[in-house]
PDB file of all heavy atoms in Angstrom:
ATOM      1  N   LEU A   1     151.847  99.945 189.408  1.00 98.00           N
ATOM      2  CA  LEU A   1     151.475  99.139 188.245  1.00 98.00           C
ATOM      3  C   LEU A   1     150.368  99.816 187.437  1.00 98.00           C
ATOM      4  O   LEU A   1     150.394  99.817 186.203  1.00 98.00           O
ATOM      5  CB  LEU A   1     151.012  97.756 188.692  1.00 98.00           C
ATOM      6  CG  LEU A   1     152.095  96.697 188.893  1.00 98.00           C
ATOM      7  CD1 LEU A   1     151.514  95.476 189.598  1.00 98.00           C
ATOM      8  CD2 LEU A   1     152.721  96.285 187.564  1.00 98.00           C
ATOM      9  N   ARG A   2     149.386 100.379 188.135  1.00 98.00           N
ATOM     10  CA  ARG A   2     148.274 101.053 187.456  1.00 98.00           C
ATOM     11  C   ARG A   2     148.782 102.201 186.602  1.00 98.00           C
ATOM     12  O   ARG A   2     148.431 102.331 185.425  1.00 98.00           O
ATOM     13  CB  ARG A   2     147.263 101.571 188.471  1.00 98.00           C
ATOM     14  CG  ARG A   2     146.435 100.495 189.150  1.00 98.00           C
ATOM     15  CD  ARG A   2     145.519 101.099 190.220  1.00 98.00           C
ATOM     16  NE  ARG A   2     144.489 101.947 189.648  1.00 98.00           N
ATOM     17  CZ  ARG A   2     144.474 103.277 189.690  1.00 98.00           C
ATOM     18  NH1 ARG A   2     145.472 103.936 190.285  1.00 98.00           N
ATOM     19  NH2 ARG A   2     143.492 103.952 189.144  1.00 98.00           N
ATOM     20  N   VAL A   3     149.604 103.047 187.201  1.00 98.00           N
ATOM     21  CA  VAL A   3     150.098 104.214 186.472  1.00 98.00           C
ATOM     22  C   VAL A   3     150.980 103.784 185.300  1.00 98.00           C
ATOM     23  O   VAL A   3     150.889 104.346 184.199  1.00 98.00           O
ATOM     24  CB  VAL A   3     150.863 105.153 187.427  1.00 98.00           C
ATOM     25  CG1 VAL A   3     151.530 106.290 186.645  1.00 98.00           C
ATOM     26  CG2 VAL A   3     149.923 105.713 188.478  1.00 98.00           C
ATOM     27  N   ALA A   4     151.818 102.768 185.522  1.00 97.00           N
ATOM     28  CA  ALA A   4     152.682 102.275 184.447  1.00 97.00           C
ATOM     29  C   ALA A   4     151.855 101.808 183.258  1.00 97.00           C
ATOM     30  O   ALA A   4     152.167 102.110 182.095  1.00 97.00           O
ATOM     31  CB  ALA A   4     153.558 101.138 184.963  1.00 97.00           C
ATOM     32  N   ARG A   5     150.788 101.078 183.544  1.00 97.00           N
ATOM     33  CA  ARG A   5     149.942 100.579 182.460  1.00 97.00           C
ATOM     34  C   ARG A   5     149.188 101.703 181.771  1.00 97.00           C
ATOM     35  O   ARG A   5     149.005 101.688 180.558  1.00 97.00           O
ATOM     36  CB  ARG A   5     148.951  99.550 183.015  1.00 97.00           C
ATOM     37  CG  ARG A   5     148.134  98.840 181.941  1.00 97.00           C
ATOM     38  CD  ARG A   5     149.031  98.114 180.972  1.00 97.00           C
ATOM     39  NE  ARG A   5     148.289  97.195 180.131  1.00 97.00           N
ATOM     40  CZ  ARG A   5     148.809  96.529 179.112  1.00 97.00           C
ATOM     41  NH1 ARG A   5     150.091  96.683 178.815  1.00 97.00           N
ATOM     42  NH2 ARG A   5     148.088  95.692 178.405  1.00 97.00           N
ATOM     43  N   MET A   6     148.737 102.679 182.536  1.00 97.00           N
ATOM     44  CA  MET A   6     148.033 103.818 181.941  1.00 97.00           C
ATOM     45  C   MET A   6     148.942 104.568 180.969  1.00 97.00           C
ATOM     46  O   MET A   6     148.520 104.950 179.872  1.00 97.00           O
ATOM     47  CB  MET A   6     147.523 104.745 183.042  1.00 97.00           C
ATOM     48  CG  MET A   6     146.386 104.136 183.865  1.00 97.00           C
ATOM     49  SD  MET A   6     146.072 105.000 185.416  1.00 97.00           S
ATOM     50  CE  MET A   6     145.320 106.509 184.824  1.00 97.00           C
ATOM     51  N   ILE A   7     150.198 104.756 181.375  1.00 96.00           N
ATOM     52  CA  ILE A   7     151.161 105.405 180.477  1.00 96.00           C
ATOM     53  C   ILE A   7     151.334 104.579 179.213  1.00 96.00           C
ATOM     54  O   ILE A   7     151.339 105.109 178.097  1.00 96.00           O
ATOM     55  CB  ILE A   7     152.517 105.591 181.190  1.00 96.00           C
ATOM     56  CG1 ILE A   7     152.391 106.588 182.341  1.00 96.00           C
ATOM     57  CG2 ILE A   7     153.599 106.049 180.204  1.00 96.00           C
ATOM     58  CD1 ILE A   7     153.586 106.602 183.268  1.00 96.00           C
ATOM     59  N   GLY A   8     151.475 103.265 179.382  1.00 93.00           N
ATOM     60  CA  GLY A   8     151.645 102.394 178.238  1.00 93.00           C
ATOM     61  C   GLY A   8     150.485 102.475 177.268  1.00 93.00           C
ATOM     62  O   GLY A   8     150.675 102.552 176.044  1.00 93.00           O
ATOM     63  N   HIS A   9     149.271 102.475 177.784  1.00 92.00           N
ATOM     64  CA  HIS A   9     148.097 102.481 176.905  1.00 92.00           C
ATOM     65  C   HIS A   9     147.986 103.769 176.106  1.00 92.00           C
ATOM     66  O   HIS A   9     147.462 103.761 174.991  1.00 92.00           O
ATOM     67  CB  HIS A   9     146.823 102.228 177.716  1.00 92.00           C
ATOM     68  CG  HIS A   9     146.377 100.806 177.664  1.00 92.00           C
ATOM     69  ND1 HIS A   9     145.644 100.285 176.624  1.00 92.00           N
ATOM     70  CD2 HIS A   9     146.603  99.781 178.487  1.00 92.00           C
ATOM     71  CE1 HIS A   9     145.412  99.010 176.835  1.00 92.00           C
ATOM     72  NE2 HIS A   9     145.994  98.670 177.953  1.00 92.00           N
ATOM     73  N   ILE A  10     148.465 104.859 176.652  1.00 94.00           N
ATOM     74  CA  ILE A  10     148.474 106.104 175.883  1.00 94.00           C
ATOM     75  C   ILE A  10     149.323 105.934 174.628  1.00 94.00           C
ATOM     76  O   ILE A  10     148.986 106.434 173.548  1.00 94.00           O
ATOM     77  CB  ILE A  10     149.009 107.263 176.743  1.00 94.00           C
ATOM     78  CG1 ILE A  10     148.035 107.565 177.889  1.00 94.00           C
ATOM     79  CG2 ILE A  10     149.216 108.520 175.888  1.00 94.00           C
ATOM     80  CD1 ILE A  10     148.592 108.533 178.923  1.00 94.00           C
ATOM     81  N   THR A  11     150.416 105.196 174.749  1.00 92.00           N
ATOM     82  CA  THR A  11     151.318 105.027 173.602  1.00 92.00           C
ATOM     83  C   THR A  11     150.834 103.954 172.623  1.00 92.00           C
ATOM     84  O   THR A  11     151.297 103.912 171.494  1.00 92.00           O
ATOM     85  CB  THR A  11     152.741 104.661 174.072  1.00 92.00           C
ATOM     86  OG1 THR A  11     152.759 103.321 174.596  1.00 92.00           O
ATOM     87  CG2 THR A  11     153.238 105.622 175.123  1.00 92.00           C
ATOM     88  N   TYR A  12     149.930 103.070 173.057  1.00 91.00           N
ATOM     89  CA  TYR A  12     149.475 101.995 172.180  1.00 91.00           C
ATOM     90  C   TYR A  12     148.419 102.462 171.182  1.00 91.00           C
ATOM     91  O   TYR A  12     148.248 101.854 170.126  1.00 91.00           O
ATOM     92  CB  TYR A  12     148.883 100.843 173.002  1.00 91.00           C
ATOM     93  CG  TYR A  12     149.835 100.212 173.983  1.00 91.00           C
ATOM     94  CD1 TYR A  12     149.373  99.606 175.147  1.00 91.00           C
ATOM     95  CD2 TYR A  12     151.210 100.239 173.768  1.00 91.00           C
ATOM     96  CE1 TYR A  12     150.240  99.034 176.061  1.00 91.00           C
ATOM     97  CE2 TYR A  12     152.084  99.674 174.678  1.00 91.00           C
ATOM     98  CZ  TYR A  12     151.593  99.069 175.828  1.00 91.00           C
ATOM     99  OH  TYR A  12     152.453  98.515 176.733  1.00 91.00           O
ATOM    100  N   LEU A  13     147.676 103.521 171.539  1.00 88.00           N
ATOM    101  CA  LEU A  13     146.587 103.997 170.693  1.00 88.00           C
ATOM    102  C   LEU A  13     147.024 105.217 169.892  1.00 88.00           C
ATOM    103  O   LEU A  13     147.831 106.020 170.352  1.00 88.00           O
ATOM    104  CB  LEU A  13     145.374 104.361 171.547  1.00 88.00           C
ATOM    105  CG  LEU A  13     144.754 103.245 172.391  1.00 88.00           C
ATOM    106  CD1 LEU A  13     143.621 103.814 173.248  1.00 88.00           C
ATOM    107  CD2 LEU A  13     144.247 102.113 171.523  1.00 88.00           C
ATOM    108  N   SER A  14     146.464 105.356 168.708  1.00 89.00           N
ATOM    109  CA  SER A  14     146.726 106.548 167.911  1.00 89.00           C
ATOM    110  C   SER A  14     145.808 107.675 168.363  1.00 89.00           C
ATOM    111  O   SER A  14     144.775 107.453 169.010  1.00 89.00           O
ATOM    112  CB  SER A  14     146.487 106.262 166.430  1.00 89.00           C
ATOM    113  OG  SER A  14     145.096 106.092 166.170  1.00 89.00           O
ATOM    114  N   ASP A  15     146.152 108.903 167.998  1.00 90.00           N
ATOM    115  CA  ASP A  15     145.320 110.055 168.330  1.00 90.00           C
ATOM    116  C   ASP A  15     143.957 109.914 167.681  1.00 90.00           C
ATOM    117  O   ASP A  15     142.914 110.188 168.303  1.00 90.00           O
ATOM    118  CB  ASP A  15     146.023 111.337 167.867  1.00 90.00           C
ATOM    119  CG  ASP A  15     145.287 112.590 168.302  1.00 90.00           C
ATOM    120  OD1 ASP A  15     144.803 112.634 169.446  1.00 90.00           O
ATOM    121  OD2 ASP A  15     145.185 113.535 167.494  1.00 90.00           O
ATOM    122  N   ASP A  16     143.923 109.461 166.428  1.00 89.00           N
ATOM    123  CA  ASP A  16     142.653 109.288 165.718  1.00 89.00           C
ATOM    124  C   ASP A  16     141.790 108.233 166.391  1.00 89.00           C
ATOM    125  O   ASP A  16     140.569 108.388 166.508  1.00 89.00           O
ATOM    126  CB  ASP A  16     142.905 108.897 164.260  1.00 89.00           C
ATOM    127  CG  ASP A  16     143.456 110.041 163.431  1.00 89.00           C
ATOM    128  OD1 ASP A  16     143.363 111.199 163.893  1.00 89.00           O
ATOM    129  OD2 ASP A  16     143.992 109.773 162.339  1.00 89.00           O
ATOM    130  N   ASP A  17     142.418 107.141 166.836  1.00 88.00           N
ATOM    131  CA  ASP A  17     141.672 106.070 167.487  1.00 88.00           C
ATOM    132  C   ASP A  17     141.089 106.550 168.812  1.00 88.00           C
ATOM    133  O   ASP A  17     139.929 106.265 169.150  1.00 88.00           O
ATOM    134  CB  ASP A  17     142.596 104.871 167.719  1.00 88.00           C
ATOM    135  CG  ASP A  17     141.823 103.569 167.888  1.00 88.00           C
ATOM    136  OD1 ASP A  17     140.702 103.471 167.358  1.00 88.00           O
ATOM    137  OD2 ASP A  17     142.350 102.651 168.532  1.00 88.00           O
ATOM    138  N   MET A  18     141.876 107.306 169.577  1.00 91.00           N
ATOM    139  CA  MET A  18     141.372 107.864 170.829  1.00 91.00           C
ATOM    140  C   MET A  18     140.211 108.814 170.571  1.00 91.00           C
ATOM    141  O   MET A  18     139.206 108.796 171.289  1.00 91.00           O
ATOM    142  CB  MET A  18     142.485 108.613 171.564  1.00 91.00           C
ATOM    143  CG  MET A  18     143.363 107.751 172.434  1.00 91.00           C
ATOM    144  SD  MET A  18     144.278 108.797 173.582  1.00 91.00           S
ATOM    145  CE  MET A  18     145.370 107.585 174.312  1.00 91.00           C
ATOM    146  N   ALA A  19     140.356 109.651 169.541  1.00 92.00           N
ATOM    147  CA  ALA A  19     139.307 110.624 169.236  1.00 92.00           C
ATOM    148  C   ALA A  19     138.016 109.922 168.845  1.00 92.00           C
ATOM    149  O   ALA A  19     136.922 110.320 169.271  1.00 92.00           O
ATOM    150  CB  ALA A  19     139.766 111.554 168.113  1.00 92.00           C
ATOM    151  N   GLU A  20     138.143 108.860 168.047  1.00 91.00           N
ATOM    152  CA  GLU A  20     136.946 108.151 167.588  1.00 91.00           C
ATOM    153  C   GLU A  20     136.278 107.381 168.725  1.00 91.00           C
ATOM    154  O   GLU A  20     135.044 107.360 168.839  1.00 91.00           O
ATOM    155  CB  GLU A  20     137.313 107.179 166.463  1.00 91.00           C
ATOM    156  CG  GLU A  20     136.112 106.435 165.896  1.00 91.00           C
ATOM    157  CD  GLU A  20     136.472 105.531 164.736  1.00 91.00           C
ATOM    158  OE1 GLU A  20     137.571 105.701 164.158  1.00 91.00           O
ATOM    159  OE2 GLU A  20     135.656 104.647 164.404  1.00 91.00           O
ATOM    160  N   LYS A  21     137.080 106.759 169.580  1.00 91.00           N
ATOM    161  CA  LYS A  21     136.525 105.941 170.661  1.00 91.00           C
ATOM    162  C   LYS A  21     135.977 106.783 171.807  1.00 91.00           C
ATOM    163  O   LYS A  21     134.948 106.446 172.403  1.00 91.00           O
ATOM    164  CB  LYS A  21     137.600 105.003 171.218  1.00 91.00           C
ATOM    165  CG  LYS A  21     137.939 103.826 170.321  1.00 91.00           C
ATOM    166  CD  LYS A  21     138.983 102.936 170.993  1.00 91.00           C
ATOM    167  CE  LYS A  21     139.289 101.711 170.155  1.00 91.00           C
ATOM    168  NZ  LYS A  21     140.319 100.847 170.798  1.00 91.00           N
ATOM    169  N   PHE A  22     136.678 107.884 172.138  1.00 94.00           N
ATOM    170  CA  PHE A  22     136.348 108.611 173.359  1.00 94.00           C
ATOM    171  C   PHE A  22     136.068 110.094 173.143  1.00 94.00           C
ATOM    172  O   PHE A  22     135.208 110.655 173.819  1.00 94.00           O
ATOM    173  CB  PHE A  22     137.484 108.470 174.378  1.00 94.00           C
ATOM    174  CG  PHE A  22     137.913 107.056 174.622  1.00 94.00           C
ATOM    175  CD1 PHE A  22     139.124 106.580 174.128  1.00 94.00           C
ATOM    176  CD2 PHE A  22     137.107 106.190 175.340  1.00 94.00           C
ATOM    177  CE1 PHE A  22     139.527 105.275 174.359  1.00 94.00           C
ATOM    178  CE2 PHE A  22     137.494 104.880 175.574  1.00 94.00           C
ATOM    179  CZ  PHE A  22     138.708 104.417 175.075  1.00 94.00           C
ATOM    180  N   GLY A  23     136.823 110.727 172.222  1.00 94.00           N
ATOM    181  CA  GLY A  23     136.684 112.162 172.050  1.00 94.00           C
ATOM    182  C   GLY A  23     136.811 112.881 173.383  1.00 94.00           C
ATOM    183  O   GLY A  23     137.673 112.553 174.202  1.00 94.00           O
ATOM    184  N   ARG A  24     135.909 113.833 173.601  1.00 93.00           N
ATOM    185  CA  ARG A  24     135.847 114.537 174.884  1.00 93.00           C
ATOM    186  C   ARG A  24     134.576 114.154 175.649  1.00 93.00           C
ATOM    187  O   ARG A  24     134.058 114.924 176.458  1.00 93.00           O
ATOM    188  CB  ARG A  24     135.912 116.048 174.666  1.00 93.00           C
ATOM    189  CG  ARG A  24     137.297 116.537 174.237  1.00 93.00           C
ATOM    190  CD  ARG A  24     137.300 118.068 174.095  1.00 93.00           C
ATOM    191  NE  ARG A  24     136.854 118.744 175.302  1.00 93.00           N
ATOM    192  CZ  ARG A  24     137.645 119.044 176.340  1.00 93.00           C
ATOM    193  NH1 ARG A  24     138.930 118.708 176.296  1.00 93.00           N
ATOM    194  NH2 ARG A  24     137.157 119.676 177.389  1.00 93.00           N
ATOM    195  N   GLU A  25     134.090 112.945 175.375  1.00 92.00           N
ATOM    196  CA  GLU A  25     132.883 112.474 176.058  1.00 92.00           C
ATOM    197  C   GLU A  25     133.084 112.450 177.570  1.00 92.00           C
ATOM    198  O   GLU A  25     134.122 111.996 178.067  1.00 92.00           O
ATOM    199  CB  GLU A  25     132.519 111.073 175.583  1.00 92.00           C
ATOM    200  CG  GLU A  25     131.868 111.020 174.215  1.00 92.00           C
ATOM    201  CD  GLU A  25     130.459 111.605 174.237  1.00 92.00           C
ATOM    202  OE1 GLU A  25     129.688 111.293 175.166  1.00 92.00           O
ATOM    203  OE2 GLU A  25     130.150 112.397 173.319  1.00 92.00           O
ATOM    204  N   LEU A  26     132.081 112.919 178.275  1.00 92.00           N
ATOM    205  CA  LEU A  26     132.122 112.925 179.733  1.00 92.00           C
ATOM    206  C   LEU A  26     131.439 111.686 180.299  1.00 92.00           C
ATOM    207  O   LEU A  26     130.512 111.143 179.701  1.00 92.00           O
ATOM    208  CB  LEU A  26     131.421 114.174 180.280  1.00 92.00           C
ATOM    209  CG  LEU A  26     132.085 115.519 179.983  1.00 92.00           C
ATOM    210  CD1 LEU A  26     131.157 116.653 180.381  1.00 92.00           C
ATOM    211  CD2 LEU A  26     133.413 115.636 180.715  1.00 92.00           C
TER     212      LEU A  26
END
């Protein structure tokens, strides 16, 4: 279930949204 949801969330967000929210922050 965890992996399935993680895959899903990758598809729900845009590349720009991911970059703005997280970027390459450690």
Side-chain angles (χ1 to χ4, degrees):
L1 274 169
R2 288 176 67 254
V3 173
R5 187 59 167 173
M6 291 164 72
I7 293 168
H9 262 278
I10 293 170
T11 71
Y12 300 152
L13 300 176
S14 70
D15 186 41
D16 288 344
D17 202 27
M18 275 197 187
E20 182 177 343
K21 286 182 177 179
F22 309 107
R24 288 182 55 85
E25 284 290 315
L26 294 170

